Amino acid sequence: MIHVLSIIHYPIFGGPHNRNMRLSKLLAEKGFRTTVLLPDDPGNAADRLRNAGVEVVQLPLQRLRATIDLRVHFRFLKEFKEQIKSIRQLIEDLDIDLVQINGLANPHGALAAKGADVPVVWQLLDTYSPAFLRWTMSCLVRRYSDAIMSTGYRVAEVHPGIIRNPKKLITFYPPVDTELFCPDPMIKTLVRDRLGISEDSIVIGTVGNINLQKGHHNFIKAAAKLQAHLPNAKFIIFGAEHSNHKKHIDSLLKLSTKLGLICDSDLFKLDPTGNVHEWVQALDIFWMTPQPRSEGIPTAMEEAMALEIPVVSFDVGGISELVEEGKAGFIIQDRSIEKLVETTLTQLLDPIRRNYIGKQGRKYITENASLSACIDKHLRAYQIALGKE
């Protein structure tokens, strides 16, 4: 059994945690045992992973943060070497055979792995990091990784030099459990009844932890514009909240009130933790409105497609690789809120067309982003890193 240490520097459950949760059992069946290393900061990720049967260990882990507070960056640098030593000791204590780095900006695990002479698979997951950081960190990725995984080719392209060695690069889609995320009209009716939303309402929603990166303010602005044309439209933001983003969350509530959206009547904000596959079935249309530097390929969008919900999204990260224009949904090239609303009104109000587009989306996810498809990509990367391919 090959023992993989998968390192995630974020304590709040998100895409990397979801991927490890979905794949760990299946990887074990293929001979790869996964232990996830998380920071010991407050957050819901450790409990969710453990409750799903995933092995988790926690250490004090600093991470790069998007802040101008120099104290935060000083603490990161001050503890950097000590944390590399702690991870290296963990690698030795757990007899780790392979280290997987989930994300670009925190190289601690890769440096620790190389010090312990353990191969590294480095995953590039989004386009959030600024250009200078992508340039700097890409040098480390190329030097210290034995295999590189990227959520789509476009994400790899914006990291300098990564595509120069195609034999080392594996592109993949985040995995979706297409049996769990399967459309069910009865669940849709039950969820709408629970929310007090009538069958004849058009319901539009998005899914993502509530932070600035996800662009919920764009969603709210678009919702207000669309409701001016479609008074019976309802809008739902599904996402977990964290105290670190309290000011941002408060600003979203103020914005929705300012634009005339009534909370829990026009606009719903819900934490669907553990039941996303049910709650999201309330939607007729899925919107993705992130900031310019943010996404790779969002798991939440894939899950919506698996539920046969057509998507309309800003063109960010690798999203356009996932959504073929007019088939599974529509891409808004210049992140225009006006075009997002116009596309929704002109292309997706017809239920027959929504149904057709939804089925095309599920077909694409089943063929390209299933658990088995993602397992195959991980196994190939692991074999390359271990020198077996």
Side-chain angles (χ1 to χ4, degrees):
M1 180 75 75
I2 301 297
H3 196 176
V4 179
L5 182 66
S6 184
I7 304 175
I8 308 173
H9 279 254
Y10 302 92
I12 307 301
F13 193 90
H17 310 86
N18 182 70
R19 183 173 60 262
N20 281 268
M21 182 177 72
R22 300 288 181 203
L23 297 184
S24 62
K25 183 178 179 180
L26 296 173
L27 284 169
E29 294 172 358
K30 302 291 186 179
F32 290 84
R33 170 188 171 194
T34 303
T35 297
V36 176
L37 171 59
L38 296 176
D40 60 359
D41 299 334
N44 63 349
D47 286 343
R48 286 195 62 181
L49 287 170
R50 288 190 178 113
N51 290 339
V54 180
E55 295 181 45
V56 176
V57 292
Q58 292 176 272
L59 291 173
L61 294 180
Q62 295 293 326
R63 64 185 183 274
L64 283 176
R65 295 175 183 263
T67 177
I68 59 173
D69 188 341
L70 294 179
R71 294 171 299 176
V72 173
H73 302 302
F74 177 76
R75 187 164 61 249
F76 175 86
L77 294 172
K78 180 182 177 182
E79 299 180 14
F80 188 71
K81 286 186 178 180
E82 192 61 36
Q83 292 184 358
I84 291 174
K85 287 175 59 178
S86 297
I87 297 171
R88 179 172 175 175
Q89 187 63 55
L90 182 67
I91 290 170
E92 294 172 355
D93 291 345
L94 296 181
D95 196 19
I96 295 298
D97 301 296
L98 178 68
V99 168
Q100 177 174 297
I101 310 300
N102 296 265
L104 173 72
N106 299 289
H108 311 57
L111 298 174
K114 285 305 176 184
D117 197 26
V118 171
V120 171
V121 173
W122 203 319
Q123 296 189 338
L124 306 177
L125 305 176
D126 54 47
T127 57
Y128 180 65
S129 300
F132 79 89
L133 185 60
R134 292 200 303 271
W135 185 89
T136 303
M137 292 303 301
S138 292
C139 295
L140 293 180
V141 174
R142 297 197 307 272
R143 179 175 178 181
Y144 289 101
S145 65
D146 298 277
I148 302 169
M149 301 184 72
S150 173
T151 49
Y153 194 76
R154 287 184 65 182
V155 169
E157 278 186 315
V158 302
H159 292 85
I162 296 300
I163 63 174
R164 291 178 191 167
N165 189 350
K167 292 182 180 179
K168 192 176 179 179
L169 175 64
I170 307 295
T171 60
F172 73 104
Y173 288 156
V176 178
D177 185 339
T178 53
E179 292 185 7
L180 182 65
F181 285 85
C182 185
D184 186 328
M186 288 185 63
I187 292 177
K188 181 170 187 170
T189 299
L190 287 171
V191 172
R192 286 197 175 205
D193 286 346
R194 203 177 304 168
L195 294 172
I197 296 176
S198 64
E199 289 185 9
D200 62 345
S201 292
I202 295 292
V203 183
I204 300 170
T206 193
V207 179
N209 290 332
I210 300 179
N211 56 52
L212 184 62
Q213 181 179 343
K214 295 297 182 180
H216 291 105
H217 58 290
N218 295 321
F219 180 92
I220 291 170
K221 291 175 182 178
K225 286 182 177 294
L226 189 134
Q227 196 181 61
H229 299 276
L230 201 66
N232 73 330
K234 304 294 182 182
F235 305 91
I236 309 177
I237 294 174
F238 293 109
E241 300 179 7
H242 191 269
S243 58
N244 287 350
H245 303 289
K246 187 178 186 307
K247 288 184 179 179
H248 175 62
I249 294 166
D250 290 344
S251 72
L252 294 176
L253 295 175
K254 290 178 181 177
L255 176 63
S256 61
T257 300
K258 178 181 177 181
L259 296 178
L261 295 172
I262 302 171
C263 289
D264 298 326
S265 176
D266 301 320
L267 176 68
F268 299 81
K269 182 170 64 67
L270 298 166
D271 182 348
T273 299
N275 294 294
V276 177
H277 60 289
E278 294 181 352
W279 283 105
V280 176
Q281 299 211 38
L283 305 182
D284 296 300
I285 299 165
F286 185 92
W287 279 354
M288 201 79 192
T289 57
Q291 294 295 84
R293 289 187 299 102
S294 54
E295 302 291 347
I297 291 178
T299 305
M301 178 178 288
E302 293 180 321
E303 291 170 347
M305 291 167 65
L307 291 170
E308 298 185 357
I309 301 169
V311 302
V312 187
S313 174
F314 290 168
D315 186 16
V316 172
I319 287 175
S320 62
E321 296 177 55
L322 180 68
V323 180
E324 186 175 352
E325 182 75 9
K327 288 194 173 181
F330 300 90
I331 300 295
I332 309 302
Q333 299 292 339
D334 55 1
R335 299 181 60 255
S336 165
I337 290 173
E338 288 73 19
K339 288 184 180 178
L340 178 81
V341 172
E342 179 186 359
T343 299
T344 302
L345 289 170
T346 58
Q347 301 292 337
L348 291 174
L349 294 190
D350 179 8
I352 295 176
R353 182 160 172 75
R354 284 202 307 273
N355 182 63
Y356 171 78
I357 291 175
K359 289 187 181 303
Q360 293 298 308
R362 178 171 175 81
K363 181 174 183 291
Y364 189 86
I365 294 301
T366 301
E367 293 174 353
N368 297 280
S370 64
L371 295 178
S372 61
C374 197
I375 284 287
D376 289 344
K377 294 296 182 97
H378 278 70
L379 291 176
R380 185 180 170 203
Y382 292 174
Q383 296 294 342
I384 291 172
L386 292 166
K388 296 181 180 180
E389 182 175 317

